[in-house]
Amino acid sequence: EVQLVQSGAEVKKPGESLKISCKASGYTFNNYWIGWVRQMPGKGLEWMGIIYPGDSDTRYSPSFEGQVSISVDKSANTAYVQWSSLKASDTAMYYCARSHGGNANTPGDYFDYWGQGSLVTVSS
Amino acid sequence: EFVLTQSPATLSLSPGERATLSCRASQSVTNSFAWYQQKPGQAPRLLIYHASNRAAGIPARFSASGSGTDFTLTISSLEPEDFAVYYCQQRSTWPPITFGQGTRLEIK
């Protein structure tokens, strides 16, 4: 059974750093792109970026380029997104999702499995 | 900038009625197009992939069609559990992968 299990809720202060995780199981981790999606309170879904675990090829949305860093640890079947200096506007639910199909150069067309979400609250 | 525009923003219907949700792309999209359902407090769930294919476990009352720039999700007869927010998504022109802003389907 494919599962994506995300790390728990975080409460941070502005300026602090943070790394949240998404542990995959039930499939060959290296062969599927993993995307990250932000959902601010009461708002819609925003695609942040995506990574191919096989070679760590990473693409970012222009809106998130330079604001976050996406990475993987293949030995742990885990993807991450991290912030070096959080802002109050980073308060949101963050989802990881597996991109179905695709290949080493291009992700699949849709996200078939989703993590349960990691709530990040940034407040002074 | 590639944009997906969903309409209406909110749709108020009663159980048993038919729901028609639309998503319009600012540029032509291949069949790299999907629909998701999100209920409060839950992660999104894949409903439809490649514009018209139901994902595993999705009831037959959900159907979808479209090509080019205009796509439609139809729920033939609403069940109480169908009231949720629905998002369209494209991967045809990427990066970025794009989501629509969502349509809230609420009970009338």
Side-chain angles (χ1 to χ4, degrees):
Chain A
E1 178 194 7
V2 174
Q3 283 194 308
L4 299 176
V5 178
Q6 298 186 230
S7 49
E10 301 273 2
V11 180
K12 293 288 191 179
K13 293 185 178 354
E16 292 186 330
S17 62
L18 176 64
K19 191 174 188 177
I20 63 175
S21 66
C22 170
K23 183 170 177 59
S25 61
Y27 71 97
T28 303
F29 180 66
N30 286 2
N31 294 352
Y32 292 81
W33 294 75
I34 292 277
W36 286 94
V37 176
R38 182 176 77 176
Q39 188 166 40
M40 298 176 78
K43 302 299 184 183
L45 305 175
E46 300 174 89
W47 181 76
M48 299 169 64
I50 198 163
I51 188 165
Y52 187 69
D55 60 6
S56 295
D57 183 9
T58 309
R59 316 291 177 88
Y60 293 94
S61 164
S63 300
F64 290 89
E65 182 94 53
Q67 308 305 308
V68 298
S69 179
I70 294 171
S71 61
V72 293
D73 178 346
K74 289 193 289 186
S75 67
N77 282 8
T78 301
Y80 304 92
V81 61
Q82 67 181 65
W83 296 258
S84 59
S85 181
L86 287 160
K87 302 185 281 288
S89 58
D90 292 318
T91 295
M93 182 70 82
Y94 292 88
Y95 294 101
C96 63
R98 189 184 82 161
S99 178
H100 180 88
N103 54 49
N105 299 312
T106 306
D109 295 332
Y110 54 91
F111 297 106
D112 56 355
Y113 290 92
W114 293 69
Q116 83 278 16
S118 296
L119 180 62
V120 174
T121 303
V122 184
S123 174
S124 55
Chain B
E1 180 189 353
F2 193 103
V3 178
L4 291 175
T5 303
Q6 293 188 239
S7 62
T10 303
L11 185 58
S12 300
L13 293 170
S14 301
E17 290 193 293
R18 182 184 187 89
T20 302
L21 289 66
S22 296
C23 182
R24 174 162 288 177
S26 58
Q27 305 170 40
S28 184
V29 173
T30 65
N31 72 342
S32 300
F33 188 90
W35 290 93
Y36 301 86
Q37 177 193 66
Q38 188 180 33
K39 297 180 180 179
Q42 296 185 17
R45 176 175 72 147
L46 176 68
L47 288 178
I48 301 287
Y49 65 93
H50 292 165
S52 61
N53 296 281
R54 277 191 303 276
I58 302 303
R61 64 180 180 273
F62 290 89
S63 64
S65 63
S67 63
T69 59
D70 291 295
F71 297 84
T72 300
L73 174 69
T74 301
I75 310 171
S76 60
S77 179
L78 286 164
E79 297 287 341
E81 61 268 28
D82 298 337
F83 292 92
V85 181
Y86 292 84
Y87 295 94
C88 55
Q89 173 249 308
Q90 71 83 30
R91 206 280 302 154
S92 178
T93 301
W94 87 289
I97 294 171
T98 313
F99 289 96
Q101 83 280 14
T103 290
R104 180 178 305 276
L105 178 56
E106 64 177 26
I107 299 176
K108 188 173 182 180

